[in-house]
Amino acid sequence: MTTHDPCSLPAQQLLNAQYLRELAGPQEFDATALELHRADTAAVESAWLARELATVDTATLPQRAEDFEPWYRARFREQVAAAEPFFDHLAQHASLEELSVYVLYEEQVDGRFDDVIAMAQMGLKGAAKVALAANYWDEMGEGDATQMHTRLFCDSAEYFRNAIAGTQFGRFVQPTAEALANGNLLLLLSVRRQHCVRLMGALTLLEHTAPRRFSRAVQGMRRLGVPEDIIYYHEMHVKIDAKHGDDLLNQVVLPMLRERPELTAEVATGVQLRLQVANRYYAMLEDVFASARETGASVALEATA
């Protein structure tokens, strides 16, 4: 299989399949699978990363450790502002069907996040390793398998999947390049160890901005009468991810940059990569919502004609 556009859906599906093969557990691992389409995957991966890096304005990236935090705070505000109209709609106006579409797209994005956190711990020491270990322990439900975040999310997603079963909205939950890229970025930065410094920047922005997403989704769920046991997973992340973001910034990134200031631009690159991939994802969701509303209006007009 070959593809000329590394940002296309086929390219992102190829990458996602390869990353998931490389993260396979021992009970399902087939060593030969690692080589399946490997030449194609490497070429697509290289082209995709080059495309993403080409859109990063390297001249604006901080070069000194002391400049990183104010620059990062500005990128955080930029990410929140870009997504705010979408999440305002989710909280205040979205139908249950629209909310279901959003959650089911988030399911596509998840991208084995617990394994990403596990890999992010590699090579860290002291307080930095403890911060990522605490993050991972939260993902593991603090040792309770019934509280593992992946399991809770799957249970929540199943409720929303049932909510749109048999409706026109089901056809709007299709794999998209933007959704897969949003998950693939973290997989790329974690599976390919040469990008581990960038991973710290991308993870920090993701965790820091997550509480806003979750809080607005929870607001919409309560407005629509979604059961509390379904809301539980989403609500827990409002506080948990705020702490994870603070810990990543203050216990991992800033101490690392004080010790190795020459890594500042590399961490910032990870932040910028996450920002641009996430922004395209939210823009895609807005387009999906608009298409669903237009289709719904057309159906309603036909029914009354």
Side-chain angles (χ1 to χ4, degrees), residues 127-144:
K129 189 141 195 167
V130 170
L132 265 297
N135 191 325
Y136 183 71
W137 191 235
D138 284 338
E139 290 290 326
M140 293 297 101
E142 297 182 344
D144 182 349

Side-chain angles (χ1 to χ4, degrees), residues 81-96:
E84 194 69 1
F86 174 79
F87 286 104
D88 276 347
H89 174 78
L90 208 65
Q92 300 171 20
H93 307 294
S95 65
L96 178 60

Side-chain angles (χ1 to χ4, degrees), residues 114-115 136-156 232-233 236-237:
D114 51 358
D115 288 333
Y136 183 71
W137 191 235
D138 284 338
E139 290 290 326
M140 293 297 101
E142 297 182 344
D144 182 349
T146 68
Q147 296 297 301
M148 288 176 63
H149 289 190
T150 51
R151 180 171 179 173
L152 292 173
F153 183 62
C154 286
D155 291 344
S156 176
Y232 171 67
Y233 164 83
M236 77 161 64
H237 282 76

Side-chain angles (χ1 to χ4, degrees), residues 193-258:
R193 289 286 292 160
Q194 65 266 39
H195 304 304
C196 63
V197 178
R198 293 171 177 170
L199 175 63
M200 295 305 160
L203 272 179
T204 302
L205 184 65
L206 182 150
E207 294 279 29
H208 250 153
T209 54
R212 185 64 174 168
R213 301 196 305 275
F214 280 108
S215 66
R216 304 300 269 169
V218 166
Q219 186 177 339
M221 290 175 192
R222 287 221 165 92
R223 174 176 55 81
L224 293 163
V226 173
E228 287 297 317
D229 62 322
I230 301 302
I231 295 175
Y232 171 67
Y233 164 83
H234 303 271
E235 187 168 45
M236 77 161 64
H237 282 76
V238 176
K239 292 183 178 179
I240 287 177
D241 284 348
K243 183 180 186 304
H244 291 167
D246 286 343
D247 287 349
L248 276 162
L249 181 64
N250 296 313
Q251 303 297 325
V252 182
V253 170
L254 293 180
M256 178 176 69
L257 296 184
R258 285 193 290 269

Side-chain angles (χ1 to χ4, degrees), residues 1 8 34 54 60 91 124 133 268:
M1 174 183 177
S8 68
L34 293 181
T60 65
L124 295 180

